Amino acid sequence: MVEKVITLENISLLDFLGSENENIRQIAAAFPQSKIVSRGNEIRIQGRAPEILRINDVINMLLQHFNRFGHITPDHVKEYITLEGVPFEENQRNDVIVYGNKGLVVKPKSANQRKLVESAFKNDLVFALGPAGTGKTYIAVALAVRALKNREVKRIIITRPAVEAGENLGFLPGDLQEKLDPYLRPIYDALSDMVPSEKLKFYQETRVIEIAPLAYMRGRTLHDAFVLLDEAQNTTSEQIKMFLTRMGPNSKVIITGDQTQVDLPKRQKSGLSESLHVLKDVKGIGVVNLSGKDVIRHRLVKSIIEAYEKDEAEKVQKRDEYKSRKSKDEGTV
């Protein structure tokens, strides 16, 4: 038997350990061959060395999550335990995607984010689907920066359709670039976390990193590049087909989208939904679905997403019941 003691310093014990030590009890239940006891600001672990290493890794990931986001929920604990389904050494080796600015370490924060990373390593084209706040765009940008730093590609191209919540570019002030900047701001924010400002400016000036609206992709062949199409739910069928056929030699593509937030005109079908149907049997394409459990923004974002999902499910049920009653009524006439 081996014993390890982890001391929690400068941290809210109630927020980290959970009510009545619920978070620690959940870890203990996942590793029944070890004994885990929390006393004051110390966590004592007794058991065999390999399992203690795994428990220690779970707790360290939870500490990193808490230090960054300020809270830990039982769902977070469950997700980090799930990450430990792979061997400890393999998990450690593949965990960090990229080291960013000011000591920032970018790594998957949930099981589905890890699936996205693994799918991107295995496939040249990946669809990352999920609601706002699940980190799909942030992880995709990190993977692109990693590929550039490792010289796996020569450039990064990031694009998205200029359609947002019914707004019209023509009514925004400034020239075309100034009109587009608000739509591309999430991309700039992510890159600013991972690339020093002067280097990012140089990369953009030399077009090593290119951020542009989707319309600018027409007629091009994107080779030796890591290409990200963001907010793909707002593409038309023609746009996403055009984009997909831009792939050139040694290019890797990630397409992100939230199918519940389509801002296209009414009766305009999302190109993202259609492409998923058309390409469902094509080999070499990865599809990763993220959910509310992967949300890493404010705790209320997850609750908001769940509330909207519940409301939508109720609307669908009412529509189905109405159609069923109408069909019966027509049948009795």
Side-chain angles (χ1 to χ4, degrees):
M1 295 284 286
V2 179
E3 180 177 89
K4 179 174 180 61
V5 178
I6 299 175
T7 303
L8 305 176
E9 297 179 347
N10 302 318
I11 194 170
S12 169
L13 297 179
L14 177 61
D15 290 338
F16 183 77
L17 300 176
S19 177
E20 298 181 353
N21 290 347
E22 180 182 5
N23 293 338
I24 294 301
R25 287 192 288 106
Q26 189 173 339
I27 296 174
F31 299 96
Q33 295 182 1
S34 298
K35 182 179 180 181
I36 306 174
V37 179
S38 173
R39 290 177 182 168
N41 68 334
E42 289 186 346
I43 300 175
R44 292 183 175 271
I45 312 168
Q46 293 179 337
R48 295 182 296 111
E51 190 160 275
I52 285 182
L53 286 173
R54 295 182 64 196
I55 296 169
N56 181 70
D57 197 44
V58 169
I59 293 174
N60 281 335
M61 286 192 292
L62 286 169
L63 284 168
Q64 290 173 7
H65 182 106
F66 184 87
N67 288 332
R68 183 171 182 188
F69 302 107
H71 70 285
I72 294 289
T73 68
D75 282 340
H76 290 138
V77 177
K78 187 183 298 183
E79 288 165 0
Y80 283 114
I81 290 172
T82 302
L83 290 181
E84 290 304 296
V86 298
F88 176 79
E89 295 81 2
E90 180 182 339
N91 183 33
Q92 285 293 94
R93 183 171 63 251
N94 295 333
D95 205 22
V96 176
I97 303 173
V98 68
Y99 292 96
N101 299 326
K102 299 179 181 179
L104 175 65
V105 177
V106 182
K107 59 172 66 175
K109 296 293 183 181
S110 70
N112 285 327
Q113 286 188 3
R114 174 173 285 276
K115 288 179 183 177
L116 172 55
V117 173
E118 292 173 349
S119 183
F121 287 159
K122 295 177 183 176
N123 302 289
D124 288 336
L125 173 59
V126 177
F127 288 87
L129 313 173
T134 52
K136 55 188 183 296
T137 298
Y138 198 83
I139 293 295
V141 172
L143 287 166
V145 172
R146 172 195 173 104
L148 184 64
K149 286 186 174 182
N150 292 345
R151 298 184 179 180
E152 296 167 10
V153 296
K154 294 180 180 178
R155 54 184 174 156
I156 295 172
I157 299 172
I158 304 175
T159 185
R160 65 189 299 184
V163 177
E164 289 291 336
E167 296 173 2
N168 190 313
L169 284 177
F171 291 102
L172 296 175
D175 59 22
L176 179 59
Q177 189 59 49
E178 290 171 327
K179 291 174 187 286
L180 289 168
D181 276 351
Y183 296 93
L184 302 170
R185 179 48 50 191
I187 306 297
Y188 287 116
D189 290 344
L191 285 169
S192 296
D193 279 352
M194 303 171 204
V195 183
S197 58
E198 288 300 317
K199 199 165 191 178
L200 178 57
K201 183 180 179 181
F202 171 76
Y203 280 158
Q204 288 185 260
E205 289 174 349
T206 57
R207 301 179 74 82
V208 172
I209 295 180
E210 181 181 352
I211 306 173
L214 181 58
Y216 285 21
M217 300 299 110
R218 188 174 299 277
R220 301 177 59 181
T221 301
L222 309 176
H223 56 82
D224 294 317
F226 198 113
V227 189
L228 167 61
L229 171 58
D230 194 35
E231 300 288 349
Q233 76 275 4
N234 289 328
T235 59
T236 64
S237 299
E238 293 77 11
Q239 285 176 326
I240 200 164
K241 180 181 178 182
M242 175 274 293
F243 173 80
L244 288 168
T245 55
R246 300 305 94 199
M247 288 183 67
N250 192 39
S251 63
K252 187 174 286 287
V253 175
I254 296 183
I255 296 174
T256 70
D258 177 2
Q259 293 171 285
T260 68
Q261 291 191 352
V262 178
D263 298 315
L264 292 168
K266 289 183 179 180
R267 298 184 181 180
Q268 173 74 65
K269 187 175 181 180
S270 168
L272 174 62
S273 299
E274 183 175 79
S275 65
L276 290 168
H277 173 72
V278 172
L279 302 175
K280 65 181 184 298
D281 296 324
V282 178
K283 294 182 180 180
I285 298 176
V287 179
V288 180
N289 290 286
L290 296 97
S291 68
K293 292 182 178 180
D294 301 293
V295 171
I296 54 174
R297 292 180 180 172
H298 192 284
R299 60 181 178 81
L300 282 176
V301 175
K302 179 180 175 182
S303 300
I304 290 168
I305 291 170
E306 290 174 349
Y308 271 95
E309 288 176 346
K310 181 181 177 182
D311 181 68
E312 182 61 28
E314 291 173 352
K315 288 178 180 177
V316 170
Q317 183 179 356
K318 288 178 180 177
R319 284 198 297 267
D320 291 344
E321 290 173 353
Y322 172 77
K323 289 179 181 178
S324 178
R325 286 197 303 269
K326 187 177 180 181
S327 177
K328 289 180 181 179
D329 292 342
E330 290 174 351
T332 57
V333 174

